[in-house]
Amino acid sequence: MTAHARPPHEFDARVTTGLGDANLQRSLNALKGTFIAARGHAVTALPEFEALRDDGKAIKDHTLANLDFYLQRYEEEVVRRGGQVHWARDAAEACDIVRTICREAGARTVTKGKSMVSEEIALNDALEADGLEVIETDAGEYILQLGREAPSHIVMPTVHKTTDQIADLFQKHHGELGFPDRTTDAAELIAQVRTVLRDKYFKADVGITGANFLVAETGSNIIVTNEGNGDLTSTLARVHIVTTGIEKVIPTLEDLSVMLRLLARSALGSEITSYTTLSTGPRRSGDLDGPEAYHVVLIDNGRANMLAGHFREMLRCIRCGACMNHCPVYMSVGGHAYGSVYPGPMGAVLTPMINGHEAAGELPHACTLNGRCQSVCPVKIPLPDLLRRLRHQQWEKKFVSAKVRWGVGAWAWLATKPRLYKLATGAAMRVLGWAGRDKGAFRSLPLASGWTKGRDMPAPQGPTFQELWARRTRP
Amino acid sequence: MTINEAHQRSEQATSSPRVALFVTCLVDLMRPNIGFAAVKLLEDAGCRVEVPRSQVCCGQPAYNSGDFASTQRIAKHVIDTFADYDYVVGPSGSCMATIKTGYPALFEDDAVWHARAVKLAQRSHELMSFLRDVLKATPPQTRMAATATYHDSCSGLRSLGIKDQPRDLLARVRDLKLVEMQDSDVCCGFGGTFCVKYPDISVKMVTDKAANIDATGADMLLGGDLGCLLNMAGRLRRLGKSTRVFHAAEVLAGMADGPAIGEAEERR
Ligand code: SF4
C-alpha cells in the first residue's frame, strides 16, 4: 500500500474532493447518529466518567514522567517470559527489524491485525517488497487492502466506504474464491471475509499486531477488537510480532482496567469491546496454543522528542478517535483530506511531530480551535493549545505564507497604535456603512472573496463605537 | 432623572464598581449598538462604566496565527490600558478568553508580565457571565416578541463555561420564547481567519448550522460573539432566510429595535 506516500500538500484539492463526495458525506452524517450518540449515552450512564478521565490522564502523566523506568521494567518482564524486545528509532529501522525477523523465520505469509503504527511506518510496503504475502485480518483493513486504499479513520478505517462499494470490491476479488454473486448483505459480506481469511490464519508464518497498551508489571501487550481477528493473528502463526509506539506502556493491570473503560466508551460508546486480548510472551510448555516466538518492536519515530517539551501531553493519546468524531472539520471533509496516516485533531498534532512541518503542511491551521475535541478526549489532551503551538513553530520557521504574515503583521502593528487605528478604520467603516445601508449586507466585496463566496457580508453600522461613544449617540 | 434619582446615582457612584468596557474590535467596527447595549446593562446593574480610548484589539488574529511575539506586544498594550479598573468586561467570549487564558500562557517565561497578566485575567469577564455570576444582577425587564434560538460560541462555552448564563438572563425577557437547536454547541465555522483561509470548509460548517437554526422554526438567532453572528447572519442571508440575528446583549438591553445584523435599514 503506497497510500501513505501521497503528497502532503494539495490540501485544498483534497478538501474539495471530500466535500464533493456524496457517499462520504452520507457516511459521516450517519456517524453522528451512531457513534457520537452512543458515546454521549455511555458517558451519561457513567456518572464517574469525569473522574475516570482524570485517572486516565494521571496514569499516563505518571508513566510519561517515568517512561525510561517503565519501558525498562516492561522489557525485563517480556524477556523473563521468553520474548524479545527490539528498539527502533524510526520507521526505517522498525521495518528492517520486522523484515529480519520474518526472514530468519523463513516466513512466506504474514497475517496482520489492525495497527496504526504499522501504517505509520508503512510496514506492508516493506514486507511486500521482500516478496512476502501480507494479509490484513481486520475486516476494515482487509477491505482497504483489496482496494489499495489508506484508512480514513483510526478506529473505523473504512468509514468513508459504502456497502455498495464494498460489494463491488468483493465481487471483483472474491469471485474466483467461490463467491461469484454480488451481495450487499452485511452478514454475508462478513461471512466472506471469514471464509477467505480462515485458511490464511493457518497458513501464516508470522502474525503481526499492534498494541493498545503494554503493561509493564507483566510484560503483556493488550489488543482490543470486536472481531476476534487479533487473537487468531497472534496465536496461530509461529511467530508473533507486536509493532507499537514507546508511549503505549502503562504500569499495572489495574491501570489497564481504567484505560479500557475509557477507551471503549470514547471510541465506540460501548462499555467494553467484544475481545480484550492480553498476550504475554511465547507459548509455554503445556500451553495449548500460542506462538513459538514473541517479539515486540518498540518504535520511537519522533515520540522521544515530544517527551521533552510542550507536546508531551500528546503522548497520552490512546487512539480512541473521539476527537475526530466530534471535530466539525473532520466531519466535513473526511479523513483522507488530511493526507496523513493520522487524521482529525490528533492527526493534525501528530503528523508534524512525526513527519515534520514540511510534510504536515497546513494541517495545524485547518481548524477553528473550537475545542470540542479536547472536551471529549478521554485523557484531556489540550489539542487546540497544541495546534496553536504548532502554528507558532510554523510562524517562527516562516512556513506561513507571505500574504498571511503581512496581513497579521499589519493588524498587529495597528492594534498597538490606537490613533492610527482609528484613522484607518473610521473612514473605511463610514464608507462601508454608507454603501451597505440599503441592503444591509454585501454579496461581494473587494479583497473579501473568501468570505463572500458562500455568505453575505453584513454591513457595518457606519461610525465606529468609539466615535459614537465620544458623542454618546447610539447608532 | 429626578433629583432623588440623581442623588442615588451619585451615592452609588462611590460604592459601585468601576468597570472598563472592552469593546472588542469587531463591535467597534461592525456593530456599535452592542457596545451601547453592554454599557446600558452594566450601568443598570450599578456599575460605573468607562471606555478606555486607547483600546483596540485583544490580539486573537495574531495569537491564533502563531505570531506570539506580536500577540505579546498587543497583550502588554491591553494590560497597560486596563490596569486600573475593578473589572474589565467585554461582550465576547472569545476575546475575554484570550485575555483570561491566553495572556497568562503567553507570559509563562516572564515573571513580571505574567503576574500582571494574571491580575488582569482575574478581573476580566465576559458580559453575560459577569452580569449573572459576578454581579448576580437581574436586568430591568425588556420585551421582545419573538421565538429565538441561541448559538453557543465555542471559546465562551469551552474556555469560560458560558452556557446557562445568557439563557437565564434571556428567560426574563417578556414574550421571548427560547427554543434549543440541535448541536447548539457545535462550531459555526467562523474561527477568525479560518473562515477566509478555508472558505469551503467554513461554508459547509455554517450551512449545517443554518439548517439546525432553520429546523427550530425560530425567527431570531441570538449569540454572544459578533464574529460567529456575522458568519451565521451572512450565510442565512445568502440562503434567503429571514431569521433575524442579534447579540443577546441587544435584546437584554431592549436595544434590538433597529435593523438586525445584515438587515437593511428600510426593513423596519
Ligand atoms: S487525542 Fe484524545 S480523543 Fe483523540 S484519539 Fe487521542 S485519546 Fe482519543
Side-chain angles (χ1 to χ4, degrees):
Chain A
M1 225 183 329
T2 50
H4 337 266
R6 278 173 314 184
H9 29 274
E10 296 156 12
F11 178 70
D12 285 343
R14 291 192 309 262
V15 163
T16 308
T17 309
L19 288 171
D21 183 341
N23 286 330
L24 171 70
Q25 293 298 328
R26 220 170 303 127
S27 310
L28 291 172
N29 250 330
L31 264 190
K32 292 185 192 163
T34 51
F35 284 88
I36 297 180
R39 180 200 169 271
H41 292 142
V43 165
T44 9
L46 189 73
E48 67 267 35
F49 189 75
E50 259 320 287
L52 208 57
R53 285 175 82 202
D54 288 326
D55 289 351
K57 174 178 183 294
I59 290 168
K60 290 296 270 186
D61 279 342
H62 167 80
T63 317
L64 291 168
N66 303 283
L67 192 60
D68 46 352
F69 171 81
Y70 285 111
L71 283 172
Q72 204 183 336
R73 175 77 199 276
Y74 169 77
E75 181 178 22
E76 282 163 17
E77 293 303 322
V78 173
V79 171
R80 211 158 66 77
R81 289 166 168 83
Q84 277 185 62
V85 175
H86 311 261
W87 301 83
R89 257 175 311 215
D90 54 24
E93 253 185 45
C95 287
D96 282 345
I97 293 167
V98 177
R99 291 165 64 190
T100 309
I101 299 171
C102 289
R103 199 180 322 119
E104 284 170 3
R108 300 243 288 276
T109 304
V110 175
T111 44
K112 273 186 73 215
K114 183 168 153 36
S115 155
M116 285 309 295
V117 166
S118 81
E119 297 279 345
E120 177 186 324
I121 61 173
L123 182 59
N124 288 14
D125 290 346
L127 297 180
E128 283 174 352
D130 281 355
L132 288 161
E133 185 194 11
V134 182
I135 302 125
E136 295 284 353
T137 63
D138 172 86
E141 293 288 345
Y142 173 78
I143 292 164
L144 295 181
Q145 195 183 22
L146 288 185
R148 311 300 289 177
E149 275 186 276
S152 68
H153 190 288
I154 61 170
V155 176
M156 299 162 271
T158 52
V159 67
H160 59 286
K161 293 197 87 69
T162 61
T163 313
D164 268 319
Q165 290 171 325
I166 296 168
D168 290 343
L169 202 59
F170 278 19
Q171 192 187 20
K172 184 169 152 209
H173 291 273
H174 290 175
E176 55 202 36
L177 300 175
F179 302 99
D181 300 328
R182 183 177 185 275
T183 175
T184 52
D185 183 84
E188 277 183 45
L189 290 170
I190 289 292
Q192 286 187 17
V193 176
R194 282 184 198 277
T195 314
V196 172
L197 287 182
R198 182 144 308 139
D199 288 347
K200 308 284 185 187
Y201 284 123
F202 289 106
K203 220 176 97 187
D205 308 294
V206 174
I208 300 176
T209 67
N212 289 95
F213 304 98
L214 305 170
V215 174
E217 70 172 350
T218 59
S220 310
N221 82 282
I222 286 83
I223 46 177
V224 297
T225 71
N226 278 316
E227 299 167 17
N229 65 304
D231 301 34
L232 297 175
T233 305
S234 59
T235 50
L236 292 180
R238 281 186 282 121
V239 180
H240 178 196
I241 306 176
V242 180
T243 55
T244 193
I246 53 171
E247 84 285 12
K248 293 282 169 65
V249 70
I250 50 175
T252 65
L253 288 171
E254 190 144 342
D255 297 328
L256 176 65
S257 81
V258 172
M259 303 316 289
L260 288 175
R261 293 176 81 197
L262 280 170
L263 178 58
R265 285 175 174 83
S266 302
L268 308 165
S270 52
E271 286 174 15
I272 189 124
T273 43
S274 308
Y275 298 86
T276 300
T277 310
L278 285 82
S279 315
T280 312
R283 177 201 303 223
R284 294 164 302 188
S285 56
D287 279 355
L288 288 179
D289 51 25
E292 292 160 20
Y294 178 81
H295 297 269
V296 183
V297 185
L298 288 175
I299 298 162
D300 174 354
N301 211 25
R303 289 164 175 80
N305 279 338
M306 295 166 70
L307 256 189
H310 284 106
F311 294 94
R312 175 186 287 188
E313 301 198 74
M314 194 60 222
L315 294 175
R316 290 202 297 266
C317 176
I318 59 172
R319 308 289 193 266
C320 72
C323 54
M324 54 199 77
N325 298 346
H326 291 79
C327 171
V329 173
Y330 176 93
M331 292 299 267
S332 294
V333 300
H336 285 160
Y338 291 78
S340 55
V341 170
Y342 300 106
M346 58 82 83
V349 176
L350 275 180
T351 306
M353 301 312 298
I354 292 176
N355 301 330
H357 279 295
E358 208 100 33
E362 45 195 315
L363 292 188
H365 297 270
C367 160
T368 61
L369 301 181
N370 65 77
R372 202 173 176 221
C373 48
Q374 177 175 1
S375 74
V376 296
C377 175
V379 284
K380 298 193 170 180
I381 299 174
L383 293 151
D385 286 345
L386 298 182
L387 287 169
R388 195 189 282 108
R389 207 163 268 289
L390 287 164
R391 294 178 188 183
H392 176 55
Q393 289 186 349
Q394 294 200 349
W395 186 275
E396 298 289 293
K397 287 182 203 286
K398 303 214 167 18
F399 270 7
V400 178
S401 81
K403 199 170 121 195
V404 172
R405 295 182 76 84
W406 190 88
V408 169
W411 178 257
W413 184 79
L414 217 50
T416 54
K417 315 256 180 319
R419 279 158 180 278
L420 263 180
Y421 164 85
K422 276 176 194 139
L423 275 178
T425 55
M429 290 306 125
R430 268 172 199 283
V431 173
L432 284 175
W434 176 81
R437 75 193 183 290
D438 286 342
K439 296 234 164 63
F442 302 96
R443 279 192 77 85
S444 70
L445 263 186
L447 301 177
S449 61
W451 180 287
T452 54
K453 203 172 155 191
R455 11 177 199 218
D456 290 3
M457 170 62 91
Q461 288 185 306
T464 65
F465 176 80
Q466 291 278 14
E467 281 175 55
L468 293 167
W469 179 251
R471 296 184 256 129
R472 298 291 194 280
T473 3
R474 256 187 78 195
Chain B
M1 195 184 309
T2 64
I3 296 180
N4 213 350
E5 277 170 354
H7 178 69
Q8 274 181 359
R9 277 243 171 145
S10 69
E11 282 274 89
Q12 246 180 13
T14 43
S15 62
S16 57
R18 205 169 144 247
V19 174
L21 179 69
F22 188 83
V23 182
T24 79
C25 54
L26 276 183
V27 167
D28 182 47
L29 300 178
M30 299 296 289
R31 199 152 170 95
N33 196 47
I34 298 169
F36 281 90
V39 172
K40 173 158 195 309
L41 289 169
L42 290 168
E43 287 185 344
D44 284 345
C47 303
R48 282 177 293 150
V49 182
E50 293 177 35
V51 182
R53 285 187 58 80
S54 59
Q55 63 176 302
V56 178
C57 167
C58 68
Q60 252 183 110
Y63 188 41
N64 289 342
S65 299
D67 181 1
F68 288 1
S70 295
T71 319
Q72 282 177 342
R73 271 197 301 281
I74 297 173
K76 286 180 179 176
H77 177 78
V78 173
I79 293 169
D80 280 338
T81 304
F82 290 93
D84 298 329
Y85 298 89
D86 297 329
Y87 296 105
V88 180
V89 178
S92 156
S94 74
C95 304
M96 300 324 283
T98 300
I99 294 176
K100 283 181 85 69
T101 64
Y103 286 8
L106 271 169
F107 294 111
E108 255 175 1
D109 303 325
D110 181 335
V112 174
W113 280 100
H114 184 259
R116 294 192 67 191
V118 168
K119 215 171 139 210
L120 177 65
Q122 286 163 346
R123 289 176 293 116
S124 298
H125 299 276
E126 180 276 340
L127 177 64
M128 303 290 148
S129 55
F130 183 67
L131 291 172
R132 196 200 72 165
D133 301 340
V134 180
L135 297 180
K136 311 214 181 330
T138 40
Q141 207 181 35
T142 55
R143 182 172 173 272
M144 172 53 79
T147 302
T149 190
Y150 192 90
H151 166 72
D152 296 289
S153 285
C154 302
S155 312
L157 173 71
R158 301 200 178 86
S159 301
L160 304 178
I162 293 161
K163 173 101 192 165
D164 296 336
Q165 296 88 332
R167 289 176 174 79
D168 285 357
L169 295 169
L170 287 165
R172 293 180 31 82
V173 176
R174 252 197 311 145
D175 299 334
L176 182 73
K177 194 177 152 216
L178 266 186
V179 289
E180 291 295 330
M181 69 174 106
Q182 199 189 327
D183 290 344
S184 69
D185 61 347
V186 173
C187 179
C188 72
F190 173 62
T193 53
F194 174 89
C195 70
V196 286
K197 262 165 72 188
Y198 303 99
D200 295 341
I201 309 178
S202 176
V203 167
K204 158 79 167 89
M205 288 163 70
V206 73
T207 305
D208 289 351
K209 180 57 71 175
N212 285 331
I213 294 167
D214 210 41
T216 62
D219 49 27
M220 183 177 278
L221 169 69
L222 298 175
D225 259 276
L226 184 53
C228 314
L229 293 170
L230 290 168
N231 181 41
M232 292 181 288
R235 184 60 188 163
L236 286 163
R237 261 195 66 116
R238 181 63 58 94
L239 292 170
K241 305 286 177 199
S242 57
T243 324
R244 308 192 70 209
V245 181
F246 286 100
H247 192 288
E250 294 176 282
V251 170
L252 287 171
M255 290 188 180
D257 47 356
I261 296 169
E263 203 171 71
E265 263 176 40
E266 76 265 44
R267 193 195 132 149
R268 297 184 56 80

